[in-house]
Amino acid sequence: MKNTTYDVLIIGGGPAGLSTAYLCHKHGLSYLVLESGKAIFQGISNTYPEGKLVYASKPKDAPMPFMVDELRPPDKPVTVESYLQYVQHFVQHENLLVQTEVDFEDIKDERDGLTVITSKGNFKGKKVVLSFGSNIPRELTVYGDAKMVAKNLDDASKYVGIKTLVIGGGNTAADVIINILKAKREANDTHPVFWAHKAEKFDVNKETAQRLGEEILLGGNIRLLLGAMPRIGEVDDEGVDRLVIRINEFKQPDGIDLYHALSFPMQNVIACIGSQGPVPIFDKLHIQSIACTAGVCKVAQEGERLVLLSAEFESTRKGVYVIGGAISPSYMRINEGSIAEERHPNLIYTAINDAYYVVEAIRAKLFCR
Ligand SMILES: Cc1cc2nc3c(=O)[nH]c(=O)nc-3n(C[C@H](O)[C@H](O)[C@H](O)COP(=O)(O)OP(=O)(O)OC[C@H]3O[C@@H](n4cnc5c(N)ncnc54)[C@H](O)[C@@H]3O)c2cc1C
């Protein structure tokens, strides 16, 4: 346990988390951002296509300007690369406190605050702001533990010189493979990339398929594993965590099945199996959400569960706030005794402005204004 008790612990270093950090810094609150990625804005760098323009979009009916001007995208759209570069300079210049490669796991209530449990130990805070976005990678469901499997490609050169397994049947998996094949080609590495998918057909768009075809024609060594199922996470005799993936299965009449499987060190595996909303995390944290019933919700569909928040974005777990993409496109807002669905567009504007309202609310609570 680190000894410091921060006023605010911020989970996720995207537009919402960094705006919260900057406002805490400006108002003299102690804070720390815990980001799972290698760098700030990892969510954006993972999901925006190369060269995408970033728009300073603002919902039509929003009365307020961007409340943290320093982090807003410029009015004249710039590429995602230049926006990221600008934000990195800003964070360095302001000396904002961020720890990267820290995976948030849980929150424990203490007598004098909250303890945040992470992959890199525990941190204590008076308040916690959850700003981990909407893009939560799905976990591989295998018997045993498969936590060490990467969910995205942060550095293709890491896979040069090793046999790599990419799991998933869509564009994201194909993109990851293209980048690894390119890195291998540039390094004259002929080790193959295995591409596994549980179905019998991949599902990629034409443009991605063309780029992949080009890499294969340029010498890319790729092995396709269709109908392949990741089954077990295990530790071998040398202490290496491995993932076992079944590539075919023969049912026998005597009930003893025969199968072929491949076993990869988990550090050679990337699972691009899509993302899910944050509801499972809210459940784990015992943060209440409510299922929409017919006629109650306009944005969410019937049966969809929406997180329950106060007008100041505080969840049903005292001292824990949720903002940004994590609560988009709508949430349930408690206001003066009634509960109604509140529209919440997934935009940088919304993420930044949520941070403003939350920091104001936290300041009022901590300093009893
Ligand atoms: C392709 C694309 C294009 C878009 N274009 C625009 C645009 O032009 N203009 C616009 O206004 N909006 C755009 N958006 C939406 C905008 O990017 C989001 O609204 C915004 O990024 C939300 O900010 P956030 O901070 O809430 O979440 P994110 O940006 O997702 O940041 C969350 C951060 O939390 C980290 N994290 C996740 N889980 C954990 C964990 N367990 N522990 C620690 N850290 C964690 C992530 O790595 C990430 O860095 C676009 C979105 C997409 C997908």
Side-chain angles (χ1 to χ4, degrees):
M1 163 89 71
K2 324 286 188 268
N3 287 330
T4 318
T5 298
Y6 295 94
D7 289 327
V8 188
L9 282 171
I10 302 160
I11 314 302
L18 285 183
S19 302
T20 308
Y22 176 58
L23 291 167
C24 286
H25 166 76
K26 230 170 102 170
H27 294 297
L29 296 173
S30 63
Y31 69 92
L32 180 65
V33 179
L34 302 171
E35 161 61 49
S36 59
K38 272 206 172 322
I40 52 157
F41 272 45
Q42 190 74 51
I44 287 191
S45 50
N46 284 349
T47 52
Y48 285 37
E50 218 176 291
K52 183 203 174 293
L53 293 179
V54 184
Y55 297 91
S57 312
K58 190 167 165 281
K60 268 198 207 92
D61 51 354
M64 307 300 281
F66 277 82
M67 300 304 280
V68 183
D69 223 23
E70 293 82 346
L71 282 165
R72 64 167 289 177
D75 280 331
K76 187 164 178 285
V78 292
T79 62
V80 60
E81 291 77 13
S82 20
Y83 179 50
L84 289 180
Q85 203 177 29
Y86 161 75
V87 173
Q88 262 149 12
H89 280 148
F90 173 73
V91 168
Q92 268 166 18
H93 181 261
E94 295 297 325
N95 214 359
L96 298 185
L97 302 173
V98 181
Q99 278 196 26
T100 53
E101 299 188 82
V102 181
D103 244 313
F104 162 74
E105 286 170 4
D106 209 345
I107 301 176
K108 241 174 47 194
D109 291 304
E110 307 282 358
R111 231 174 343 128
D112 52 348
L114 297 157
T115 292
V116 165
I117 301 164
T118 77
S119 57
K120 298 273 169 76
N122 297 352
F123 297 83
K124 265 188 90 168
K126 294 179 188 158
K127 308 282 177 197
V128 174
V129 176
L130 300 176
S131 48
F132 44 55
S134 56
N135 208 13
I136 314 293
R138 241 183 256 283
E139 296 288 337
L140 270 181
T141 46
V142 297
Y143 180 74
D145 204 349
K147 277 214 182 80
M148 292 176 62
V149 166
K151 314 272 175 25
N152 52 52
L153 184 69
D154 48 39
D155 177 10
S157 66
K158 253 178 34 192
Y159 299 93
V160 169
I162 57 174
K163 292 178 181 170
T164 311
L165 171 67
V166 177
I167 304 173
N171 290 317
T172 312
D175 256 327
V176 164
I177 290 169
I178 295 166
N179 285 312
I180 298 175
L181 289 178
K182 191 164 168 237
K184 283 177 176 284
R185 174 165 56 81
E186 285 166 1
N188 285 324
D189 169 30
T190 54
H191 288 90
V193 177
F194 292 81
W195 185 8
H197 183 32
K198 62 181 181 191
E200 292 299 332
K201 227 174 117 217
F202 294 111
D203 183 16
V204 295
N205 62 33
K206 215 165 159 185
E207 188 265 331
T208 310
Q210 276 165 354
R211 288 192 294 118
L212 180 59
E214 194 177 297
E215 269 312 321
I216 294 172
L217 291 174
L218 289 171
N221 186 357
I222 178 169
R223 312 270 169 92
L224 303 183
L225 305 172
L226 286 162
M229 285 299 285
R231 283 292 190 206
I232 331 172
E234 60 178 19
V235 183
D236 69 14
D237 292 346
E238 282 158 21
V240 177
D241 290 281
R242 307 186 74 94
L243 182 81
V244 177
I245 182 161
R246 262 185 217 184
I247 50 173
N248 51 35
E249 226 171 306
F250 308 97
K251 297 262 177 220
Q252 304 294 311
D254 60 3
I256 301 173
D257 296 345
L258 199 68
Y259 62 80
H260 291 135
L262 296 174
S263 164
F264 287 83
M266 284 201 201
Q267 60 178 20
N268 297 22
V269 183
I270 306 170
C272 307
I273 52 172
S275 53
Q276 58 185 5
V279 169
I281 302 186
F282 295 143
D283 286 345
K284 181 177 168 188
L285 298 174
H286 305 293
I287 287 176
Q288 201 183 335
S289 52
I290 295 186
C292 285
T293 46
V296 170
C297 291
K298 292 207 170 64
V299 181
Q301 313 229 321
E302 193 180 335
E304 215 175 301
R305 281 166 60 209
L306 300 182
V307 66
L308 188 61
L309 300 176
S310 74
E312 294 163 335
F313 298 101
E314 190 169 9
S315 73
T316 50
R317 192 131 177 217
K318 207 162 169 278
V320 179
Y321 297 76
V322 197
I323 62 169
I327 55 168
S328 293
S330 68
Y331 64 96
M332 288 290 191
R333 180 168 163 156
I334 316 165
N335 209 359
E336 291 168 4
S338 70
I339 295 175
E341 187 192 31
E342 181 77 15
R343 201 177 277 277
H344 189 268
N346 196 353
L347 291 172
I348 296 169
Y349 167 88
T350 331
I352 288 179
N353 283 19
D354 289 355
Y356 170 81
Y357 296 117
V358 157
V359 174
E360 284 302 293
I362 291 178
R363 288 175 66 212
K365 284 208 171 141
L366 291 181
F367 304 128
C368 299
R369 286 188 297 149

